[in-house]
Amino acid sequence: MEFLELKEFLDVKVAQYNRPNFIQNDPICIPHQFSKKQDIEIAAFFAAILAWGQRKTIINKCNELFARMDNDPYNFMLHHSDEDLKRLLGFKHRTFNDTDLLYFVAFFKEHYSNFDSLEAAFLSPADIFQSDYLSAELQKGYTKYASSACMLTEMADQQPLIERSLNYFRSYFFSLPDFPRRTIKHVSSPLQKSTCKRLNMFLRWMVRKDTSGVDFGIWNTLKPKDLICPCDVHVDRVARKLGLIERKQTDWKTAVELTSELLKFDPLDPVKYDFALFGLGVEEKF
């Protein structure tokens, strides 16, 4: 397709799929069950992290998880007792188990004891590395998993904003003492060359200002124009067929390449085309 023809085609598909009836069959329906900002953030984060496999299964597992928290996740994170934590034992989805879950709860308790919003976890390395619980020894202990070495170089300033944010977030997330090594695999970053599909999806939900009422847009420091398109197997397949991706493998650079093409269609809101690419792949088997 020519540029204008392809843009018109994708804009039609965005309008078709970026509408409220998209919500009920997608993991984004989980945070839509809540109204408090922190509840939405926590529910959206778990829904994104657990987004493996069939959407119906993902939604059922998330509902099970929050039922164990009395459907009051923010209050649970801040005020749970040891007895409350026992209700989380036995939870499992794919390779995510109760060991991972208990660490996630510990992280949220620590974070929300210091910040009102989860957005702060994605913003500044200065905020992260001034934390009292991040000792020099601990920081040195997980540099192979974190981006601390990268952000000390001038190269860090040349990375896309969201790339830096995701690298910082992973470092921050695993800054609590004695984090389980097995849990590392559940939070990716560009440093591992991952597409970071789940986290980019979560950021889309939180950042993108959506007049259709699907994405929440409750964060204001990170901007929609800086987001990276979530690149799952469906989006990747459709984007390649449309000539939006030339890179052979699928990794972080592929997600950046795709987003750079989508920016040409809409420089202020490139990831709205995630709806079009995903809908074409999943609903229409394009």
Side-chain angles (χ1 to χ4, degrees):
M1 295 184 188
E2 297 295 331
F3 175 82
L4 291 178
E5 184 183 7
L6 180 55
K7 174 175 167 47
E8 182 179 359
F9 173 68
L10 291 176
D11 284 340
V12 167
K13 291 302 176 181
V14 170
Q16 179 180 341
Y17 291 109
N18 185 21
R19 55 179 59 191
N21 62 5
F22 176 87
I23 295 172
Q24 62 183 351
N25 296 318
D26 189 83
I28 201 173
C29 73
I30 298 300
H32 272 286
Q33 297 174 14
F34 300 93
S35 57
K36 184 185 296 182
K37 180 179 182 179
Q38 293 86 353
D39 284 336
I40 293 170
E41 291 176 340
I42 295 167
F45 190 79
F46 275 108
I49 291 295
L50 297 179
W52 304 354
Q54 294 184 345
R55 288 186 288 172
K56 182 178 180 180
T57 302
I58 296 164
I59 292 167
N60 288 340
K61 293 305 292 188
C62 288
N63 283 328
E64 175 195 334
L65 172 60
F66 292 115
R68 293 175 184 236
M69 301 179 187
D70 295 324
N71 291 307
D72 193 5
Y74 179 56
N75 183 60
F76 185 94
M77 298 303 170
L78 285 180
H79 305 298
H80 61 263
S81 65
D82 290 343
E83 197 65 27
D84 293 327
L85 292 177
K86 291 180 181 179
R87 294 185 308 201
L88 304 182
L89 298 179
F91 180 83
K92 190 176 187 299
H93 176 60
R94 297 290 184 104
T95 64
F96 187 94
N97 67 14
D98 48 14
T99 298
D100 307 312
L101 176 56
L102 290 173
Y103 181 78
F104 275 50
V105 171
F107 167 79
F108 280 122
K109 178 177 176 61
E110 185 67 42
H111 178 79
Y112 282 115
S113 295
N114 293 283
F115 299 97
D116 288 332
S117 171
L118 190 57
E119 185 178 18
F122 290 85
L123 292 180
S124 169
D127 292 335
I128 295 169
F129 292 112
Q130 288 170 2
S131 299
D132 293 338
Y133 52 82
L134 186 59
S135 66
E137 291 88 11
L138 188 61
Q139 187 181 144
K140 185 183 299 183
Y142 66 76
T143 46
K144 67 177 289 188
Y145 301 108
S147 60
S148 54
C150 293
M151 67 192 177
L152 296 177
T153 71
E154 293 182 0
M155 287 298 292
D157 293 328
Q158 299 173 20
Q159 295 172 324
L161 173 62
I162 295 300
E163 180 172 344
R164 299 201 306 272
S165 295
L166 289 171
N167 283 333
Y168 303 153
F169 175 74
R170 192 171 194 260
S171 299
Y172 175 48
F173 190 86
F174 292 111
S175 61
L176 295 180
D178 301 323
F179 63 87
R181 291 282 166 174
R182 60 156 284 119
T183 306
I184 291 172
K185 65 179 177 289
H186 294 298
V187 179
S188 57
S189 79
L191 197 64
Q192 285 72 47
K193 297 182 172 57
S194 169
T195 63
C196 301
K197 185 267 288 191
R198 295 175 184 86
L199 288 177
N200 280 324
M201 182 172 66
F202 168 72
L203 290 176
R204 194 203 85 199
W205 294 349
M206 296 297 96
V207 174
R208 185 173 171 270
K209 311 299 182 186
D210 186 358
T211 56
S212 298
V214 181
D215 293 331
F216 291 88
I218 55 177
W219 292 359
N220 295 307
T221 303
L222 296 170
K223 303 300 182 185
K225 67 181 179 63
D226 297 316
L227 295 173
I228 299 294
C229 186
C231 195
D232 67 4
V233 293
H234 307 289
V235 169
D236 181 274
R237 174 169 52 83
V238 174
R240 290 181 189 279
K241 289 194 173 186
L242 293 174
L244 297 172
I245 296 173
E246 294 183 358
R247 189 172 172 79
K248 300 301 182 185
Q249 61 267 54
T250 300
D251 56 15
W252 175 254
K253 289 184 178 179
T254 308
V256 172
E257 178 187 356
L258 171 59
T259 306
S260 68
E261 291 299 308
L262 300 178
L263 278 162
K264 297 174 183 177
F265 300 130
D266 190 335
L268 296 180
D269 189 15
V271 301
K272 74 180 185 184
Y273 293 105
D274 182 32
F275 286 100
L277 298 174
F278 183 79
L280 283 166
V282 174
E283 303 294 341
E284 303 184 34
K285 312 299 182 187
F286 181 81

